[in-house]
């Protein structure tokens, strides 16, 4: 029986009926408490009245509700009101995949993009032990901004009719479900003949597992390529017979233009016996992504948006052995499944760098490169660059699973011993870091450095595999200290102070090299010292806008040169690898390859024939592994998959057989919450992969402007405060960050790399009339608009340090505001003062919250801020100018705090129990806050047969 519009079921108000299906009637409703639209599914009376079926349904639905992934429609609540049982689910605006295939006749490449996203969503569910059981095109929605979302996870049992207790009757229920009348309503839950696995079709209930979903996925792949069902018959029984007995159909017989590789993938998905199918849907996702790369011509841009973050990945923890092995080719990756709140955004990365280097000019400059490089999030590929990968025998072995060891989160600093027996990595729990050693063969773990408040800045295992050398920074060691500890643990021994990178040993193990920054050497120096810390010697120093990266140098096997990542801003940002003679001489490029964004740790192969490194590229595929041949200097990609790889976390065994690194996967979405309304609950309004992580701001009318990767590049979008009406404002494929809206709402200012160097640009609020505001070889970034809409403040390296400057909203000659390194400025309501992060040499801690006159000059007030505070997220003034809000991460959880301007005690204003805050913005009326919050997940992996 239909429910009238305006009826209330609990806190939900019925707005309209949008269909009905096997699960019952479906309504569009408004959640009065959280102010969001939901799909409300009313359970049939015969289901609700059957206690056993309701029990089974609640078990399935509760498990499915725990899933949090950008490509899975979320279940908000399983409820009951006035005798009516319902499920409140995410309401998705878009069309079904069936519509995309048969009505829109979308290109195969586009359909494969959606199905790659679906495979990632399935991988998340399967890792949680949840099987869909009814995967079909109707249960996949494609949103208006290009996201695929899977509906109704794990709920297929709901529509099974009551069965007898005999096992045979129970088995037949699955077939009976399949033969029920089908509906076209998105989200209808029932086993569907055209997509059932053979074990489902035969009623072999006990054999149904995640591989049944893989079979269904193969059916959808076939249909995407041919617009026909794989096992279509004259009637239901004929279709069931074909599923069980008919050979796998040939795609090329229907669509001769389809790639042969797709037929191979479909054939493995559609194997009759589960043991002969892919054993992990993640493998399918990886091979589909590889196929998509191969389908692109050399003149095309990489279709790099995967939007496949693993969501809130907390499925398996404390694994003590090698969990999974995958065999794959050019694109390879295993899912990374841990919370990693400490390193989930460019904001947090710059803070880590600021804590790491502790020296004014260096801090902000290195932070700049990491911000521009995007750290975890700014992953963009060079247009038209075709990846050249290794042989198809490459294997990725997951050494950890669930991202945790002994309940602590894996956070980086990973290395492997030359003999391949030991792997070392850092762990974080409750804001304290420890160091763990894992024996590869036995899977046993040993804590070798006890937890403490501070940060591991890189690890190296000695040539004889006896000792671990680690760089540590904390309040008592602001310049960072190198320690030595036995590989099985013991008392750490201090070796040397003032080290800003992991070390690398000479071939004989008697010396090591490292990078050091100091106030008068802004670009950093490449140094060598004896193994006991004595005999320091400078090899070469970079100055000005030329820098050495701090991720770690590498000593060549012949002992003659040291390779190190280096970057320059002159003529546009670019990074490469240079080699420096050990016995003296000028540095020179080791390769002609240039990376627009970040380049990280470099490791020589043991035979000296090349190097392995990690680099951010122009695209959203993450920080990937590369190989550079030596001495030729030719560069090629080793990985090209859906995950990113660690920066400080890279090691190689002496026989070149195994790489150790981290696989990383971020997930950040936009939430809103009210200010000073305790009863108001935060509300998630976006469901992308990294929404707002690189910046967001409010329009005067309450809309939200933000940066996301909902297309082929990070672009600026705008949406309503409830998440509806999203619209793209820019589409030029260049890196963008830090959108700032003028107070009259006419302009959006932002950082862009369109000129080859970070500069400030401006567009009208409708996305038109792009204008460059600043120019030059120095980097300009992080704009903020004054309340009178006459000025823009921004950070610039024009003076050598990353200081605050201002310029007219129409451009012109910039004026310097501070003579010390600073972070993004935020205006007081009257426009006379700005709040920013400010570096004070010699202070503990050195970074303060500064209140600076907008007219320029020294700070009028300096306030302490927790070391765990996110300076880059900023300091938003309250409307009465008595306080400002900032983000702080305590015990691994980020919340917003209010700091009184008079120096009083900070007050917590949000009460999140998980996740990290990357960015936030206060609405113009000061009543609401928009936040980009989420996490990044990581696991230690071994990569074999990569050459």
């Amino acid at each position: 029986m239909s429910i009238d519009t305006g009826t209330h079921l609990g806190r939900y108000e019925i707005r309209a009926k949008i269909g009905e299906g096997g699960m019952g009637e479906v309504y569009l409703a408004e959640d009065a408490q959280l102010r969001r639209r939901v799909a409300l599914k009313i359970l049939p009376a015969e289901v609700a009245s059957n206690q056993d079926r309701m029990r089974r349904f609640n078990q399935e639905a509760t498990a499915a509700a725990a899933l949090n992934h950008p490509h899975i429609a979320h279940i908000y609540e399983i409820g009951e009101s006035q005798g009516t049982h319902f499920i409140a689910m995410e309401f998705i605006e878009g069309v079904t995949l069936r519509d995309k295939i048969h009505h829109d006749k979308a290109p195969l490449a586009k359909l494969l993009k959606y199905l790659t996203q679906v495979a990632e969503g399935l991988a998340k569910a399967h890792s949680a032990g949840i099987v869909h059981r009814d995967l079909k095109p109707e249960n996949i929605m494609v949103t208006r901004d290009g996201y695929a979302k899977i509906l109704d996870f794990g709920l297929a049992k709901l529509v099974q009719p009551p069965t007898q207790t005999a096992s045979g009757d129970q088995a037949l229920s699955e077939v009976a479900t399949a033969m029920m009348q089908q509906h076209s309503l998105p989200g209808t839950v029932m086993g569907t003949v055209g997509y059932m696995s053979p074990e489902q079709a035969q009623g072999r209930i006990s054999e149904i597992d995640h591989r049944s979903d893989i079979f269904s996925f193969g059916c959808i792949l076939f249909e995407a390529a041919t617009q026909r069902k794989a096992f279509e018959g004259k009637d239901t029984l004929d279709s069931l017979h074909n599923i069980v007995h008919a050979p796998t159909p040939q795609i090329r017989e229907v669509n001769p233009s389809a790639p042969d590789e797709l037929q191979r993938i479909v054939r493995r998905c559609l194997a009759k016996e589960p043991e002969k199918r892919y054993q992990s849907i993640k493998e399918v996702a990886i091979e589909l992504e590889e196929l998509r790369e191969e389908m692109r011509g050399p003149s095309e841009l990489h279709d790099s948006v995967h939007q496949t973050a693993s969501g809130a990945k907390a499925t398996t923890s404390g694994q003590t052995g090698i969990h999974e092995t995958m065999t794959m080719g050019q694109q390879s990756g295993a899912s990374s499944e841990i919370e990693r709140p400490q390193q989930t955004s460019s904001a947090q990365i710059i803070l880590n760098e600021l804590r790491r280097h502790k020296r004014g000019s260096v801090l902000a400059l290195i932070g700049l490169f990491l911000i521009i490089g995007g750290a975890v999030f700014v992953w963009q590929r060079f247009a038209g660059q075709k990846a050249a990968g290794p042989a198809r025998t490459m294997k990725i072995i997951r050494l950890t699973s669930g991202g945790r060891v002994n309940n602590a989160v894996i956070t980086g600093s990973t290395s492997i011993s030359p003999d391949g027996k030991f792997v070392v990595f850092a762990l974080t729990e409750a804001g304290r870091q420890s160091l763990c050693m894992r024996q590869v063969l036995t899977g046993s773990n040993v804590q070798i450095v006890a937890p403490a408040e501070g940060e591991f800045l890189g690890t190296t295992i000695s040539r004889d595999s006896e000792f671990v050398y680690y760089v540590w920074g904390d309040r008592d060691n602001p310049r960072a200290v190198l320690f030595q500890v036995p590989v099985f643990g013991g008392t750490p021994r201090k070796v040397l102070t003032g080290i800003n990178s992991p070390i690398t040993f000479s071939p004989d193990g008697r010396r090591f090299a490292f990078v050091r920054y100091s106030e008068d050497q802004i670009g950093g120096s490449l140094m060598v010292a004896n193994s006991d810390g004595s005999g320091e010697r400078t090899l070469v120093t970079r100055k000005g806008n030329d820098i050495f990266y701090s991720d770690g140098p590498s000593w060549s096997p012949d002992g003659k040169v040291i390779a190190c990542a280096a970057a320059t801003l002159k003529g546009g940002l670019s990074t490469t690898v240079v080699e420096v003679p050990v016995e003296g001489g000028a540095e020179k490029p080791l390769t002609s390859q240039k990376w627009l964004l970040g380049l990280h740790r470099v490791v020589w192969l043991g035979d000296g024939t090349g190097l392995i490194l990690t680099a951010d590229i122009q695209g959203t595929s993450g920080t990937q592994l590369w190989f550079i041949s030596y001495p030729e200097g030719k560069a090629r990609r080793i990985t090209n998959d859906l995950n990113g790889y660690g920066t400080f976390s890279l090691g190689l065994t002496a026989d070149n057989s195994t790489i150790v690194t981290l696989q990383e996967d971020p997930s950040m979405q936009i939430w809103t919450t009210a200010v000073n309304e305790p009863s108001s609950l935060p509300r998630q309004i976006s469901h992308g992969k990294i929404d707002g992580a690189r910046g967001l701001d409010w329009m005067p009318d309450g809309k939200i402007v933000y940066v996301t990767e909902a297309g082929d590049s990070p672009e600026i979008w705008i949406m309503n405060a409830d998440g509806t009406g999203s619209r793209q404002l820019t589409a030029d494929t260049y890196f963008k960050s830090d959108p700032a809206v003028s107070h009259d709402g006419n302009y959006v200012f932002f950082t862009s790399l369109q000129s080859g160097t970070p500069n400030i640009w401006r567009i009208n609020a409708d996305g038109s009339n792009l204008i460059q505001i600043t120019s030059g070889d120095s980097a300009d970034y992080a704009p903020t608009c004054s309340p009178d809409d006459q000025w823009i403040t921004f950070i610039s390296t024009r003076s050598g340090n990353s200081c605050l400057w201002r310029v007219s909203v129409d451009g012109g000659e910039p004026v310097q505001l501070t003579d010390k390194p600073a972070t993004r400025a935020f205006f007081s309501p009257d426009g006379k003062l700005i709040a920013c992060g400010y570096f004070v040499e010699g202070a503990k801690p050195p970074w303060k919250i500064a209140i600076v006159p907008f007219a320029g000059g020294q700070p009028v007030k300096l306030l302490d801020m927790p070391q765990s505070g996110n300076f880059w997220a900023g300091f938003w003034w309250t409307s009465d100018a008595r306080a400002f809000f900032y983000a702080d991460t305590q015990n691994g959880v980020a919340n917003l705090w209010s700091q009184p301007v008079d120096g009083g005690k900070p007050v917590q204003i949000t009460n999140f129990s998980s996740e990290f805050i990357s960015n936030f913005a206060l609405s113009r009326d000061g009543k609401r806050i928009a936040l980009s919050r989420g996490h990044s997940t990581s696991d230690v992996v071994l990569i074999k047969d990569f050459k």
Side-chain angles (χ1 to χ4, degrees), residues 664-897:
E664 304 170 333
D665 198 2
S667 177
M668 304 291 290
Q669 293 79 40
I670 296 176
W671 294 62
T672 60
T673 188
V675 177
N676 298 324
E677 292 184 21
S679 61
S680 176
L681 295 177
R683 173 187 178 189
Q684 183 178 344
I685 63 170
S686 80
H687 302 276
K689 183 173 182 178
I690 54 170
D691 297 338
R694 285 191 288 275
L696 71 167
D697 199 4
W698 291 82
M699 296 288 288
D701 61 3
K703 290 185 172 70
I704 297 173
V705 174
Y706 62 104
V707 176
T708 190
E709 290 181 359
D712 292 333
S713 58
E715 302 292 354
I716 297 177
W717 286 63
I718 189 171
M719 64 179 170
N720 297 326
D722 62 357
T724 62
S726 58
R727 180 167 56 88
Q728 191 169 348
L729 296 183
T730 64
D732 56 26
T733 74
Y734 294 100
F735 162 75
K736 301 171 189 67
S737 67
D738 316 317
V741 178
S742 62
H743 286 250
D744 60 13
N746 290 333
Y747 300 127
V748 178
F749 299 87
F750 56 94
T751 306
S752 174
L753 278 175
Q754 182 163 339
S755 65
T757 300
N759 289 129
I760 309 301
W761 294 69
R762 187 188 82 189
I763 55 172
N764 293 345
D766 61 0
S768 64
N769 195 27
L770 177 66
I771 296 175
Q772 186 172 356
I773 302 299
T774 68
S775 60
D777 289 342
S778 297
D780 305 326
Y781 57 102
T784 305
C785 192
S786 62
D788 61 6
D789 289 331
Q790 298 299 307
W791 300 94
I792 290 294
T793 62
F794 61 97
I795 302 172
S796 178
T797 61
R798 294 166 186 266
S799 62
N801 295 340
S802 292
C803 300
L804 277 175
W805 293 64
R806 70 178 181 185
V807 69
S808 166
V809 294
D810 296 315
E813 188 66 27
V815 176
Q816 189 169 353
L817 294 178
T818 68
D819 59 359
K820 299 292 186 182
T823 64
R824 188 178 185 183
F826 294 84
F827 281 90
S828 61
D830 61 8
K832 295 181 180 180
L833 300 172
I834 54 176
C836 62
Y838 191 84
F839 185 84
V840 180
E841 181 69 27
K844 290 187 177 181
W847 280 88
K848 308 288 185 181
I849 304 172
I851 299 177
V852 181
F854 177 58
Q858 297 302 308
V860 297
K861 188 182 287 290
L862 292 173
L863 300 171
D864 286 334
M865 180 176 175
Q867 282 287 83
S868 53
N870 187 339
F871 280 78
W872 190 253
F875 309 97
W876 292 81
W877 295 72
T878 57
S879 55
D880 60 8
R882 293 182 179 180
F884 41 77
F885 298 147
Y886 68 91
D888 185 22
T889 302
Q890 297 183 8
N891 298 323
V893 178
N895 276 286
L896 294 183
W897 293 70

Side-chain angles (χ1 to χ4, degrees), residues 335 789 936:
S335 65
D789 289 331
S936 183

Side-chain angles (χ1 to χ4, degrees), residues 271-290:
K272 304 297 183 184
E273 296 300 323
E275 292 77 13
K276 296 182 180 180
R277 295 175 205 153
Y278 289 100
Q279 299 301 292
S280 166
I281 192 66
K282 184 72 175 184
E283 295 181 66
V284 184
I286 292 166
E287 295 205 3
L288 282 179
E289 184 60 25
E290 178 181 349

